[in-house]
Amino acid sequence: MTPLQPTGPDYLKTPMRRHAAMDHDFYAWRDSLSARRLCWPDGIRLGVWLQIAVEWFPLNIGDKPFLPIGAPSRPFPDSQTYTQRDYGNRVGIFRMMDALKARGLSGSAFLNARVAQRYPILMREILAEKWEVVAAGLDAGAIHHEGLSEEEERGMIAEALAIFGDFGVKPDVWHSPSWSQSTRTPRLLKEAGFTAMADWANDEAPYRFDTSAGTIVSLPTAIELSDREMLGLRKQALDDVEASFMAAARRLAREAEDSGHGRLLTLNLSPWIMGQPYRIAAFERILDAIFSVDGTRAVSAPEIIAATDDL
């Protein structure tokens, strides 16, 4: 009998897979828990990076090579899902802004470029609040994957930068929609002038990520501590989500105290989820509880990079 051969599109192939080594040569493995990693100023033990996902989900979003996280999934036009996501940009984001501002805190907008085009008032509010802008691709459906040509992917990055440039913004940090990348993405980001990317969820501190165009910094990004993962996908109770955030903060603060070097807590939150009127009080409680932990402060990407010893 002839063995069955794998079939399917090229983007499902894994040419870098091999035995006795990692499936890539982007960085060396390290023991990231024990090594000295972060040195915060002013006696800070725990930095908290608040990643606020500000996204536009096209109504005719595609499903290649996969359906983006949180995308409309019913037959076109899925107005129910589309309008719920739209709610985040019309209502939910402003509740979250108010909660942060009331506490003297600032977030990092993981911002789709096309949000700036479609919601210019929102873009101006984000800039007025002095939030850090992380370029989160073109829109929630603009997935980076191996099936794109290099020119297509380079064009997507360039288009996003051009849109931000129209608002006088030049982001230094990139996040691909749905944490997606091709094997070319880090190099193309470096060539486009980005100093860091937040797509790989394998660490709690930055590390050097090598490309043929030079080194780019890989910044931690939250998948486990994401409201989309916990509330949207796992359907966890809101009380359990609050408890998880606080358990993470207390553990990391204790590790910082015991080890003598800093820790970083990364939270990824979506206005269409956490900005709902029955959840916003939980968001406020989470903020109050986390920032009541001794030695805790909100941090931005440049502060995280500056505090990293081994870049």
Side-chain angles (χ1 to χ4, degrees):
M1 180 182 294
T2 302
L4 292 175
Q5 297 298 316
T7 61
D10 288 344
Y11 57 73
L12 295 178
K13 295 179 180 178
T14 53
M16 295 291 287
R17 183 169 293 169
R18 56 192 184 270
H19 293 289
M22 292 194 293
D23 293 342
H24 59 81
D25 53 6
F26 290 126
Y27 55 83
W29 184 89
R30 72 179 186 184
D31 171 6
S32 192
L33 181 65
S34 303
R36 182 174 179 83
R37 296 174 296 169
L38 292 162
C39 184
W40 302 114
D42 305 323
I44 300 301
R45 293 187 300 167
L46 177 63
V48 181
W49 193 16
L50 297 169
Q51 303 173 343
I52 311 299
V54 189
E55 303 163 295
W56 174 58
F57 290 84
L59 188 57
N60 62 341
I61 204 164
D63 61 355
K64 302 297 184 198
F66 60 85
L67 193 66
I69 300 171
S73 56
R74 301 190 304 179
F76 177 86
D78 184 356
S79 58
Q80 185 241 31
T81 306
Y82 177 86
T83 54
Q84 188 210 24
R85 307 308 187 252
D86 192 44
Y87 175 94
N89 293 333
R90 296 163 66 92
V91 182
I93 183 67
F94 296 102
R95 285 200 181 103
M96 297 181 77
M97 281 183 175
D98 288 345
L100 290 169
K101 187 173 183 177
R103 290 157 178 81
L105 301 172
S106 181
S108 294
F110 275 45
L111 183 67
N112 292 159
R114 287 175 178 153
V115 168
Q117 285 182 320
R118 290 175 170 268
Y119 305 88
I121 294 174
L122 174 55
M123 181 64 178
R124 288 194 290 271
E125 287 287 337
I126 288 170
L127 296 179
E129 292 295 319
K130 300 189 183 325
W131 281 20
E132 175 185 26
V133 174
V134 171
L138 283 170
D139 60 52
I143 299 299
H144 292 253
H145 60 90
E146 205 67 13
L148 296 171
S149 71
E150 181 163 323
E151 287 310 306
E152 286 176 309
E153 189 170 9
R154 181 180 285 111
M156 291 164 64
I157 296 169
E159 184 180 350
L161 281 173
I163 294 170
F164 286 121
D166 291 340
F167 289 85
V169 176
K170 188 182 184 303
D172 291 323
V173 183
W174 175 273
H175 171 72
S176 298
S178 290
W179 290 265
S180 62
Q181 282 196 356
S182 75
T183 56
R184 299 174 301 271
T185 307
R187 171 174 58 83
L188 294 175
L189 293 175
K190 179 67 177 180
E191 291 174 351
F194 287 94
T195 60
M197 62 183 188
D199 285 342
W200 290 54
N202 59 342
D203 214 318
E204 292 175 355
Y207 60 88
R208 293 167 57 92
F209 196 103
D210 296 323
T211 80
S212 60
T215 299
I216 190 169
V217 176
S218 181
L219 291 168
T221 184
I223 294 178
E224 285 289 317
L225 292 176
S226 160
D227 57 4
R228 196 173 321 189
E229 176 75 18
M230 302 168 82
L231 292 168
L233 296 179
R234 298 179 188 170
K235 309 299 183 185
Q236 291 178 248
L238 193 55
D239 287 348
D240 292 340
V241 173
E242 289 187 57
S244 296
F245 287 155
M246 277 313 303
R250 293 192 184 102
R251 175 67 187 216
L252 290 168
R254 191 180 81 196
E255 288 181 1
E257 180 72 19
D258 292 344
S259 67
H261 55 88
R263 289 291 197 262
L264 175 66
L265 174 63
T266 309
L267 307 180
N268 189 279
L269 304 169
S270 302
W272 55 270
I273 296 177
M274 197 57 77
Q276 296 286 342
Y278 66 97
R279 288 194 182 117
I280 195 65
F283 177 59
E284 293 169 338
R285 288 193 299 270
I286 289 166
L287 293 176
D288 290 338
I290 286 177
F291 289 102
S292 70
V293 175
D294 187 46
T296 300
R297 194 189 78 184
V299 294
S300 63
E303 291 173 307
I304 297 167
I305 293 171
T308 305
D309 285 340
D310 57 353
L311 290 179

